Amino acid sequence: MDAIALDNTDIKLLKLLQENSKRPIKELAKLVNLSATPVADRIKRLEKEGYIRRYSAILSNAKLNKGFVVFCNVKLKQHTREYRSRFIKTVSKIEDITECYNISGEYDFMLKIYAQSMEHYKNFIVEMLNTEESIGCLQSIFAMEEIKQTNSIPF
């Protein structure tokens, strides 16, 4: 099914839900100047159309002892379909890797990894990533401070 065009009310709802997806329907309705039923219907439609993929809680990595954030650039040994598939399959199974992007430039992929410490990350590289034979080389970039982090899509 093709997605339908968003009107200003849909956009307002999406912005509000990005800020806090636990807002009650009545509060959302008041903020977009509609009654609760049309707002609930719009949200269901936005979910069905795929504008809203899922709802989740944003956790504190520091409180959960995962405050060591690493961006790891990966270059494959060869640019073959087999190596690409193997790498993607491996990465998809590793929980410590929270994001993976196929990128342009010198490297092929960029990973975001939350670790407990440098020691934990070193063990992760040795025991997990270095066992994947499709990987040619890695470049680790360590975040010293988080300046901005958001999961919101700008409108």
Side-chain angles (χ1 to χ4, degrees):
M1 176 184 259
D2 288 338
I4 59 172
L6 298 176
D7 65 17
N8 287 336
T9 303
D10 290 332
I11 291 170
K12 283 181 190 175
L13 274 173
L14 290 172
K15 285 180 178 180
L16 291 166
L17 288 169
Q18 279 191 132
E19 290 171 10
N20 179 0
S21 64
K22 290 189 75 166
R23 272 194 172 112
I25 295 289
K26 286 182 181 181
E27 182 181 335
L28 290 168
K30 185 177 179 182
L31 291 168
V32 297
N33 297 317
L34 289 176
S35 62
T37 301
V39 168
D41 291 344
R42 280 176 180 262
I43 291 171
K44 285 179 190 165
R45 178 180 50 79
L46 292 166
E47 292 168 347
K48 183 179 176 185
E49 292 289 329
Y51 290 100
I52 299 171
R53 293 186 346 200
R54 69 175 189 268
Y55 298 92
S56 66
I58 300 171
L59 307 179
S60 167
N61 57 315
K63 290 252 185 209
L64 295 168
N65 196 24
K66 295 282 187 168
F68 193 73
V69 181
V70 184
F71 297 93
C72 180
N73 292 326
V74 177
K75 189 182 296 187
L76 298 180
K77 282 183 184 173
Q78 298 176 11
H79 291 104
T80 64
R81 185 173 291 151
E82 178 189 347
Y83 273 33
R84 186 178 191 283
S85 293
R86 285 180 55 135
F87 176 77
I88 290 170
K89 189 174 183 180
T90 297
V91 164
S92 297
K93 294 178 185 175
I94 301 173
E95 285 186 13
D96 285 348
I97 299 171
T98 59
E99 296 178 46
C100 175
Y101 300 94
N102 186 199
I103 60 173
S104 64
E106 185 177 343
Y107 290 89
D108 301 309
F109 295 92
M110 180 172 53
L111 312 175
K112 183 175 184 182
I113 300 156
Y114 288 96
Q116 295 169 350
S117 63
M118 176 67 86
E119 181 74 17
H120 180 266
Y121 179 68
K122 180 191 75 134
N123 292 336
F124 167 79
I125 292 295
V126 171
E127 296 169 15
M128 300 291 267
L129 284 187
N130 281 344
T131 61
E132 176 50 55
E133 64 184 61
S134 64
I135 296 175
C137 69
L138 304 171
Q139 176 194 43
S140 299
I141 302 162
F142 307 104
M144 297 188 301
E145 180 182 17
E146 184 178 282
I147 307 301
K148 180 180 179 180
Q149 190 278 333
T150 178
N151 291 326
S152 296
I153 296 177
F155 286 90

